[in-house]
Coordinates of all heavy atoms in Angstrom, one line a residue:
Y163 N 74.1 139.5 72.8 CA 75.0 140.4 73.4 C 74.3 141.4 74.4 O 74.9 141.8 75.4 CB 75.9 141.2 72.4 CG 77.0 140.3 71.8 CD1 77.1 140.1 70.5 CD2 78.0 139.8 72.6 CE1 78.1 139.3 69.9 CE2 79.0 139.0 72.1 CZ 79.1 138.8 70.8 OH 80.1 138.0 70.2
Q166 N 73.7 139.5 77.4 CA 74.9 139.1 78.1 C 75.6 140.3 78.8 O 76.1 140.2 79.9 CB 75.9 138.5 77.1 CG 77.2 138.0 77.7 CD 78.1 137.4 76.6 OE1 78.5 138.1 75.7 NE2 78.4 136.1 76.7
L167 N 75.5 141.5 78.1 CA 76.2 142.7 78.6 C 75.3 143.7 79.4 O 75.7 144.7 79.9 CB 76.9 143.4 77.5 CG 77.9 142.5 76.7 CD1 78.4 143.3 75.5 CD2 79.1 142.1 77.6
Q175 N 72.2 135.7 81.3 CA 73.1 134.9 80.5 C 72.3 133.7 79.9 O 72.6 133.3 78.8 CB 74.2 134.3 81.4 CG 75.3 133.6 80.6 CD 75.9 134.5 79.5 OE1 76.3 135.6 79.8 NE2 76.0 134.0 78.3
P192 N 78.9 134.0 68.7 CA 79.9 133.4 69.5 C 79.7 131.9 69.8 O 80.7 131.2 70.0 CB 79.7 134.2 70.9 CG 78.3 134.7 70.8 CD 78.1 135.0 69.4
G198 N 88.4 130.1 72.7 CA 89.4 131.3 72.7 C 88.8 132.4 71.9 O 89.0 133.6 72.3
E199 N 88.2 132.1 70.8 CA 87.6 133.2 69.9 C 86.5 133.9 70.7 O 86.3 135.1 70.5 CB 87.1 132.5 68.6 CG 88.2 132.1 67.7 CD 87.7 131.3 66.5 OE1 86.6 130.6 66.7 OE2 88.3 131.4 65.4
R200 N 85.7 133.1 71.5 CA 84.6 133.7 72.2 C 85.1 134.7 73.2 O 84.6 135.8 73.4 CB 83.7 132.7 72.9 CG 82.7 132.0 72.0 CD 81.6 131.3 72.8 NE 82.1 130.3 73.7 CZ 82.3 129.0 73.3 NH1 82.1 128.7 72.1 NH2 82.8 128.1 74.2
A201 N 86.2 134.3 73.9 CA 86.8 135.2 74.9 C 87.3 136.5 74.3 O 87.1 137.6 74.8 CB 88.0 134.5 75.6
E202 N 87.9 136.4 73.1 CA 88.4 137.5 72.4 C 87.3 138.4 72.0 O 87.4 139.7 72.1 CB 89.3 137.1 71.2 CG 89.9 138.3 70.4 CD 90.7 137.8 69.3 OE1 91.0 136.6 69.2 OE2 91.1 138.6 68.4
Q203 N 86.2 137.8 71.5 CA 85.1 138.6 71.0 C 84.4 139.3 72.2 O 84.0 140.5 72.1 CB 84.0 137.7 70.4 CG 82.8 138.4 69.8 CD 83.1 139.3 68.7 OE1 83.6 138.9 67.6 NE2 82.9 140.6 68.9
F204 N 84.3 138.6 73.3 CA 83.7 139.2 74.5 C 84.5 140.4 75.0 O 83.9 141.5 75.3 CB 83.5 138.2 75.6 CG 82.9 138.7 76.9 CD1 81.5 138.8 76.9 CD2 83.6 139.2 77.9 CE1 80.9 139.3 78.1 CE2 83.0 139.7 79.1 CZ 81.6 139.8 79.1
A205 N 85.8 140.3 75.0 CA 86.6 141.4 75.4 C 86.5 142.6 74.5 O 86.4 143.7 75.0 CB 88.1 141.0 75.4
S206 N 86.4 142.3 73.2 CA 86.2 143.4 72.3 C 84.8 144.1 72.5 O 84.7 145.3 72.5 CB 86.2 142.8 70.8 OG 85.9 143.8 69.9
D207 N 83.8 143.3 72.7 CA 82.4 143.9 72.9 C 82.4 144.7 74.2 O 81.7 145.7 74.3 CB 81.4 142.8 72.9 CG 81.1 142.3 71.6 OD1 81.2 143.0 70.6 OD2 80.9 141.0 71.4
S208 N 83.1 144.2 75.2 CA 83.2 145.0 76.5 C 83.8 146.3 76.3 O 83.4 147.3 76.9 CB 84.0 144.2 77.5 OG 83.3 142.9 77.8
D209 N 84.8 146.4 75.5 CA 85.4 147.7 75.1 C 84.4 148.6 74.5 O 84.4 149.8 74.7 CB 86.7 147.5 74.2 CG 87.8 146.8 75.0 OD1 87.8 146.8 76.2 OD2 88.7 146.3 74.3
V210 N 83.6 148.0 73.6 CA 82.6 148.8 72.9 C 81.6 149.4 73.9 O 81.2 150.6 73.8 CB 81.9 148.0 71.8 CG1 80.7 148.7 71.3 CG2 82.8 147.6 70.7

Side-chain angles (χ1 to χ4, degrees):
Y163 281 122
Q166 184 179 62
L167 302 172
Q175 189 61 48
E199 289 171 328
R200 279 199 300 273
E202 182 178 349
Q203 182 67 62
F204 181 82
S206 174
D207 287 325
S208 295
D209 291 340
V210 170

